[in-house]
Amino acid sequence: MIKKIEHIGIAVKNINQSNQLFKKLFGKEHYKIENVESEGVSTSFFMLGETKIELLEATTENSAIAKFIDKKGEGIHHIAYEVDNLDAEITRLKTEGFVMINSDPKNGADNKRICFLHPKSTNGVLVELCEEVKN
Ligand code: ZN
C-alpha cells in the first residue's frame, strides 16, 4: 500500500549552493548529506513535517541527474512514495500495467530500499517507491 509522500527529489547543479538557498527558504538546515555511489549522486535532505525534500547533484557525467539537468535544467526530478511492502507493491503495480525502471529494489539514500516507475506510464512523473530498511 502506498502510504504517503516520503520525499520530493529536486535536481540541482550545486548542492552546497542549493543547501544555502533551501536553508533560507525553509528557515532550517538540511539534516544529512549522503553520497549514493551506485547512482552517481550526492544528496541532501531537509525535513518538513512528515515529508522530506531531497536535493540531488550529479557526481558523474553518466548519472541520471546529469542527463536530466542537461535535458530539462534544474527542477523537480521525482516524487517518492512510502510503501509498507515494496516487493508486494512492485508485483501489484506490474499487474496493473505500470512499467518499472528497475524491478529489483536497490539501496537508496536515507536507509531505504527503492525502485522507480517509468514516467511514460505515470503521466510524465518519475515515481520512486521506497520502503524503510528495518535494522
Ligand atoms: Zn528520492
Side-chain angles (χ1 to χ4, degrees), residues 13-129:
K13 287 181 181 164
N14 181 312
I15 205 160
N16 292 323
Q17 284 176 13
S18 294
N19 276 336
Q20 295 308 311
L21 179 73
F22 280 83
K23 177 185 170 184
K24 277 188 233 165
L25 180 65
F26 299 143
K28 58 157 74 171
E29 301 261 4
H30 60 280
Y31 68 90
K32 75 151 93 176
I33 288 194
E34 192 175 339
N35 266 303
V36 185
E37 263 180 48
S38 59
E39 297 291 304
V41 293
S42 177
T43 65
S44 75
F45 285 89
F46 291 82
M47 183 67 79
L48 293 174
E50 282 214 326
T51 303
K52 299 163 190 162
I53 298 296
E54 173 185 34
L55 305 181
L56 304 117
E57 179 195 309
T59 53
T60 67
E61 282 175 21
N62 294 329
S63 108
I65 294 301
K67 289 175 188 157
F68 179 89
I69 287 179
D70 273 353
K71 248 167 92 177
K72 300 188 177 173
E74 295 178 297
I76 293 181
H77 178 257
H78 64 270
I79 298 181
Y81 299 100
E82 183 177 300
V83 301
D84 43 16
N85 183 334
L86 184 57
D87 300 302
E89 208 55 30
I90 289 170
T91 303
R92 183 182 76 82
L93 292 173
K94 278 172 148 177
T95 306
E96 294 286 2
F98 290 94
V99 178
M100 316 298 296
I101 292 178
N102 62 304
S103 298
D104 289 329
K106 44 191 181 180
N107 294 324
D110 208 27
N111 201 35
K112 299 281 195 293
R113 288 174 75 223
I114 64 170
C115 76
F116 286 95
L117 275 67
H118 200 288
K120 75 182 176 195
S121 65
T122 49
N123 283 171
V125 178
L126 178 60
V127 169
E128 175 184 337
L129 301 177

